[in-house]
Amino acid sequence: MEDILSEIENQTDYLFVSNRDVDLKQKVSVRVKDQSVETVLDEVLKNTGVTFTVEGVNIVLSPSMVGTILQQNKKRYQGRLLIEMVNL
């Protein structure tokens, strides 16, 4: 993702801003030509858990609420699972 964002910065006047919660090292692939920055970012950030907002010449990257909730709800359980079926 970092390379694609750098290329967008090189080809436009936009600068990217993000915090530590955004994983810029994710592997993404996109092939576009003559598209708006917003369209490219929609494609690049699809399924990454990252969203963006445009604020002037800055594009702010932040974790999506869905990605944040999924990360918070990831729990690891160990042991046996017993499921009891009950007719209601």
Side-chain angles (χ1 to χ4, degrees):
M1 183 183 319
E2 282 178 312
D3 293 338
I4 295 171
L5 299 181
S6 292
E7 192 59 36
I8 292 172
E9 285 183 335
N10 290 338
Q11 293 186 28
T12 68
D13 293 330
Y14 289 112
L15 296 173
F16 288 94
V17 179
S18 65
N19 64 26
R20 289 173 246 215
D21 296 331
V22 176
D23 180 10
L24 299 177
K25 302 234 183 267
Q26 296 183 65
K27 301 282 185 207
V28 294
S29 173
V30 66
R31 185 176 296 262
V32 293
K33 185 174 182 178
D34 298 325
Q35 298 293 319
S36 70
V37 172
E38 289 85 358
T39 301
V40 173
L41 286 175
D42 282 337
E43 187 65 28
V44 168
L45 300 177
K46 182 173 48 177
N47 301 320
T48 64
V50 178
T51 61
F52 73 95
T53 54
V54 178
E55 297 179 6
V57 296
N58 293 318
I59 298 175
V60 180
L61 302 174
S62 55
S64 69
M65 289 305 291
V66 171
T68 302
I69 290 168
L70 288 175
Q71 286 296 333
Q72 289 174 350
N73 287 335
K74 276 189 179 175
K75 294 180 182 174
R76 198 172 186 127
Y77 294 97
Q78 211 169 6
R80 293 178 39 167
L81 179 62
L82 176 61
I83 300 175
E84 188 174 323
M85 301 299 288
V86 177
N87 290 330
L88 299 175

